Amino acid sequence: MLDPHKFRQDFPILDQRLGPSRDRKLVYLDNAATTQKPLSVIEAITHYYRESNSNVHRGIHTLGERATALYEDARNKVRSFIMARHSHEIIFTRGTTESINLVASSLTRLFQPGDEIVLTEMEHHSNMVPWFLAAERQNLVIRIWHVEDDGQLDIGKLNDLLGPKTRLLALTWMSNVLGTINPIKKITQIAHDKGVNVLVDGAQGVPHLPTDVQDLDVDFLAFSGHKMCGPMGIGVLYGKEDLLDRMPPYQGGGEMIRTVRLDGFEPNVLPYKFEAGTPNVEGAVGLGVAVDYLRSIGLENIHAHDELLVQKTLEGLKALPSVRVLGPKSGRGGLAAFSAGSLHAHDVAAYLDRFGVAVRAGHHCAHPLAKRFGVVSTVRASYYFYNTLEEVDQFLETLGRALDDL
Ligand code: PMP
């Protein structure tokens, strides 16, 4: 079992007391929104700017070569982290949102009017709205895979949803509200049997579960650096080479071209075809160090620790009257979202904050899902490997007091 105390010294931000008299120990339980960064990541970014900053792939000088080597080394680290076959299948983006927008803008240009895209009801807005935009632009049809009362998808319903016109299934690996972990490998097999490509939103899955894109056989995987100890503003789109090769460029500009004439251009090879303009080099460098850090802990260990914390949380929440937890009872990731009777989620979160406990309150960018479960907003506690069982206790105790006091 992983010992979270061992890692906390790497995260200076966690070791602080809040409030005017600095008497509230920070209990950071908002990791599904963003995780904290270890010193190695913070220092790698500083070091990059002190020693190597330069634009990449262009300058024929030492710093340019250093920056390029660091950037491409980061790409290779990410490739290895998700077990992709080729490093040119790793495209650096701003994050999950941009990765999905890239596919929604580019891949759909290969579709015909009337072609269908299947989404699930548990998607984050960033895995819904880009498809709605594409559907509007190109007369595509969106079909929805609804969520069962227990917060899971009924795999038996998938066959009926995938028809002769279905081109793509886009779904999350782990729900940021329900905690549900979808069986991606099985789902992908079913979709592929029907000739349907699969895009997985890995924003919550990749930071918490071992990832092997070749084993999962997904066609696209989108994720964000900032939810896995990396910096903000850097993310990844993994795509299978043959698909990425067939897709038209997403944005135009420097780097994504091979040649430009006055009447047109030739796109560059992968991955540069999809990386127009100066990239976020410091972000990539930081993400490379973040994946080294996560690998040194082990993703299996991180998942087991998530399960430990969330099971304790679910038991504690069960004992609190009026609390209703969304999502499955087991087989879920390290987060729990719940409503508390008639109390407004923001009031509960503000009460917890007064005692140093940082949780998120709201619809968590999943309006249709909140509607499905008849809640306007929920409070969400979400964990990472540096959270301790004592912090879960502190959260539950403070929540108990909030329910009495509010
Ligand atoms: N999908 C899921 C499941 C998420 O939890 C999030 C972040 N809350 C996103 C997508 C969007 O990620 P980002 O804002 O980093 O692009």
Side-chain angles (χ1 to χ4, degrees):
M1 264 300 165
L2 164 166
D3 175 9
H5 298 278
K6 222 173 87 189
F7 306 110
R8 291 181 74 89
Q9 70 207 31
D10 295 335
F11 293 83
I13 199 170
L14 295 175
D15 183 25
Q16 61 177 297
R17 290 175 186 269
L18 307 174
S21 44
R22 306 254 166 226
D23 56 349
R24 292 178 246 151
K25 195 179 169 312
L26 171 66
V27 176
Y28 184 77
L29 307 183
D30 194 17
N31 293 287
T34 199
T35 63
Q36 299 303 346
K37 322 301 171 199
L39 277 171
S40 58
V41 169
I42 298 169
E43 280 164 7
I45 295 169
T46 312
H47 192 255
Y48 165 73
Y49 279 119
R50 292 180 79 108
E51 304 280 331
S52 310
N53 177 53
S54 180
N55 213 326
V56 290
H57 302 134
R58 288 170 214 168
I60 311 200
H61 54 72
T62 306
L63 292 192
E65 279 168 13
R66 248 188 234 164
T68 304
L70 284 168
Y71 185 65
E72 293 304 328
D73 188 41
R75 195 192 306 277
N76 200 39
K77 284 181 182 185
V78 172
R79 179 205 63 73
S80 153
F81 184 72
I82 65 166
M83 314 279 268
R85 194 169 279 125
H86 308 293
S87 59
H88 58 254
E89 293 175 318
I90 305 297
I91 293 160
F92 283 125
T93 64
R94 279 198 302 123
T96 307
T97 302
E98 191 181 34
S99 298
I100 296 173
N101 273 281
L102 189 165
V103 182
S105 299
S106 169
L107 181 76
T108 55
R109 287 209 256 141
L110 307 174
F111 294 1
Q112 300 300 317
D115 279 353
E116 296 175 2
I117 296 168
V118 176
L119 309 174
T120 87
E121 201 175 10
M122 67 168 80
E123 297 313 310
H124 187 281
H125 295 158
S126 60
N127 198 23
M128 276 194 169
V129 183
W131 305 110
F132 293 158
L133 290 170
E136 221 170 78
R137 201 169 49 231
Q138 283 171 239
N139 288 318
L140 307 172
V141 177
I142 304 287
R143 303 189 70 189
I144 300 294
W145 187 1
H146 290 280
V147 177
E148 304 302 310
D149 288 342
D150 65 358
Q152 291 183 305
L153 295 166
D154 178 352
I155 305 287
K157 292 186 177 166
L158 183 56
N159 266 319
D160 291 342
L161 278 163
L162 304 176
K165 291 195 156 192
T166 314
R167 301 294 301 273
L168 185 81
L169 165 64
L171 85 164
T172 190
W173 192 352
M174 186 200 298
S175 162
N176 63 316
V177 180
L178 305 169
T180 312
I181 297 174
N182 291 316
I184 294 299
K185 187 173 174 177
K186 193 163 156 195
I187 290 172
T188 301
Q189 261 168 15
I190 297 170
H192 283 176
D193 284 349
K194 298 234 178 178
V196 174
N197 288 132
V198 177
L199 175 140
V200 169
D201 172 351
Q204 300 296 340
V206 174
H208 294 265
L209 300 164
T211 305
D212 180 339
V213 287
Q214 293 185 66
D215 181 54
L216 293 171
D217 201 25
V218 296
D219 299 293
F220 299 99
L221 177 70
F223 54 102
S224 301
H226 71 95
K227 292 183 199 281
M228 48 194 285
C229 292
M232 289 192 175
I234 186 81
V236 173
L237 172 69
Y238 157 80
K240 282 187 184 160
E241 182 184 33
D242 59 324
L243 279 161
L244 292 175
D245 262 338
R246 280 193 279 132
M247 285 159 54
Y250 164 55
Q251 292 180 328
E255 201 64 36
M256 52 70 68
I257 47 87
R258 203 198 304 258
T259 54
V260 181
R261 302 173 310 275
L262 284 179
D263 61 350
F265 72 97
E266 298 300 325
N268 207 341
V269 293
L270 292 175
Y272 313 112
K273 180 169 89 169
F274 292 111
E275 291 184 359
T278 298
N280 180 356
V281 183
E282 68 155 74
V285 168
L287 178 57
V289 175
V291 303
D292 284 344
Y293 188 86
L294 294 180
R295 282 182 104 163
S296 73
I297 302 172
L299 273 292
E300 290 87 359
N301 297 332
I302 292 176
H303 179 51
H305 186 66
D306 282 343
E307 283 194 319
L308 181 76
L309 298 188
V310 88
Q311 281 313 320
K312 186 175 171 68
T313 306
L314 294 180
E315 274 162 37
L317 291 175
K318 215 162 48 183
L320 296 172
S322 80
V323 165
R324 175 184 163 221
V325 181
L326 302 186
K329 292 196 168 45
S330 60
R332 55 186 286 155
L335 62 88
F338 58 91
S339 59
S342 58
L343 290 179
H344 198 290
H346 284 119
D347 293 337
V348 177
Y351 185 102
L352 291 170
D353 181 56
R354 290 209 329 258
F355 295 92
V357 182
V359 294
R360 185 143 292 241
H363 50 67
H364 315 297
C365 296
H367 281 158
L369 189 65
K371 188 159 181 240
R372 159 71 178 84
F373 285 98
V375 290
V376 180
S377 60
T378 53
V379 178
R380 181 185 69 191
S382 56
Y383 302 116
Y384 216 16
F385 54 84
Y386 42 64
N387 289 122
T388 64
L389 286 166
E390 297 83 56
E391 285 183 315
V392 176
D393 282 333
Q394 199 172 333
F395 158 61
L396 290 168
E397 269 168 39
T398 317
L399 178 65
R401 286 208 306 277
L403 300 184
D404 288 341
D405 293 353
L406 287 172

